[in-house]
Amino acid sequence: MLLLALPCRAVEVVVHPSVSETQLTTAQLRAIFSMRQTRWADGQAIQVLVLPSDTAEHNSFTRNYLKMFPYQLDAIWHRQRYSGIGGTPQLFPSVDALLNALEQTPGAIGYLPQSTRSAELRVVTLHEK
């Protein structure tokens, strides 16, 4: 039997220091990243920041945290964009650009490789009810 290993970089969900939530459920993450939940509990606007869909980090995030495939999330974003019912996340070309934006954008949520550390960002943990 031949097993093929796809490159999959471990990522963690992070938020800007202005965000008080550091524990979310899979359902909450799905609502946030599908742009259905647009505000944090304190009323602050959520800014969703992501990498391109074809990156290993995005693939790892969608599969491990959202429990879906990247093309499924893309379909949600495209449907919202073209129907005018919702927004789309801000897209960044590289991990470094995403890191800088996460550090500078109040209300921001995104994901970074676990090897990328920032003293300013807060790591979000998953919990199930």
Side-chain angles (χ1 to χ4, degrees):
M1 177 186 289
L2 177 64
L3 296 175
L4 298 176
L6 296 175
C8 188
R9 295 180 63 179
V11 297
E12 56 192 5
V13 176
V14 293
V15 293
H16 185 270
S18 67
V19 176
S20 60
E21 284 93 337
T22 57
Q23 290 190 353
L24 298 170
T25 65
T26 299
Q28 288 171 309
L29 272 180
R30 279 186 181 173
I32 290 168
F33 279 87
S34 65
M35 312 304 284
R36 289 190 321 265
Q37 180 178 336
T38 59
R39 299 226 171 254
W40 294 109
D42 64 2
Q44 180 177 206
I46 297 174
Q47 303 296 322
V48 178
L49 312 179
V50 298
L51 292 169
S53 296
D54 61 353
T55 62
E57 293 85 2
H58 185 79
N59 188 7
S60 177
F61 167 73
T62 56
R63 286 175 173 242
N64 296 322
Y65 284 91
L66 302 182
K67 308 298 184 212
M68 59 183 6
F69 293 103
Y71 74 86
Q72 292 172 305
L73 190 56
D74 284 344
I76 292 168
W77 294 338
H78 290 297
R79 189 171 39 253
Q80 289 178 333
R81 180 183 316 132
Y82 295 115
S83 67
I85 61 170
T88 56
Q90 294 178 350
L91 185 66
F92 293 87
S94 68
V95 170
D96 289 337
L98 178 58
L99 171 63
N100 290 334
L102 284 163
E103 290 176 336
Q104 297 173 11
T105 308
I109 185 170
Y111 50 83
L112 293 168
Q114 288 180 342
S115 60
T116 305
R117 295 285 177 204
S118 169
E120 297 177 31
L121 299 176
R122 302 169 74 192
V123 175
V124 174
T125 57
L126 278 184
H127 73 91
E128 297 302 325
K129 291 182 178 182

